[in-house]
């Protein structure tokens, strides 16, 4: 690839393509970016199990519910 090739040059060339060719190019670019980019890790809800147990351990559930119902 030429060192003088820049985004403006590329975009002007892309505009010369028909719509189907532009969409194909876009799909290939997305695939290239996904392939080279970091993978997204998924967070499981089961991983947060017990996260607030220490906070809630000192709270009376009945008292808390009564207070919430009063406002």
């Amino acid at each position: 690839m030429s060192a003088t090739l820049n985004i403006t040059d590329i975009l002007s060339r892309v505009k010369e393509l028909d719509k189907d060719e532009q969409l194909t190019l876009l799909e290939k670019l997305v695939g290239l970016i996904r392939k080279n980019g970091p993978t997204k890790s998924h967070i499981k809800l089961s991983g947060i199990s017990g996260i607030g147990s220490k906070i809630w351990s000192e709270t009376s559930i009945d008292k808390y519910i009564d207070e919430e119902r009063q406002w």
Side-chain angles (χ1 to χ4, degrees):
M1 183 180 263
S2 171
T4 60
L5 191 60
N6 63 32
I7 292 176
T8 305
D9 296 333
I10 294 170
L11 286 175
S12 66
R13 297 292 305 269
V14 169
K15 289 177 183 177
E16 296 172 7
L17 301 173
D18 66 30
K19 190 171 189 162
D20 288 335
E21 291 173 320
Q22 289 176 350
L23 289 172
T24 300
L25 176 61
L26 180 60
E27 289 171 354
K28 289 184 177 188
L29 284 171
V30 168
L32 179 66
I33 292 168
R34 284 187 177 152
K35 180 180 174 185
N36 292 334
T39 57
K40 196 179 218 183
S41 62
H42 296 282
I43 299 172
K44 294 183 179 181
L45 288 178
S46 60
I48 63 170
S49 176
I51 199 166
S53 61
K54 184 175 182 180
I55 296 169
W56 288 100
S57 67
E58 299 172 10
T59 303
S60 165
I61 296 173
D62 292 326
K63 182 179 175 185
Y64 174 79
I65 291 173
D66 287 340
E67 289 173 0
E68 287 297 307
R69 288 181 177 159
Q70 300 210 3
W71 67 281

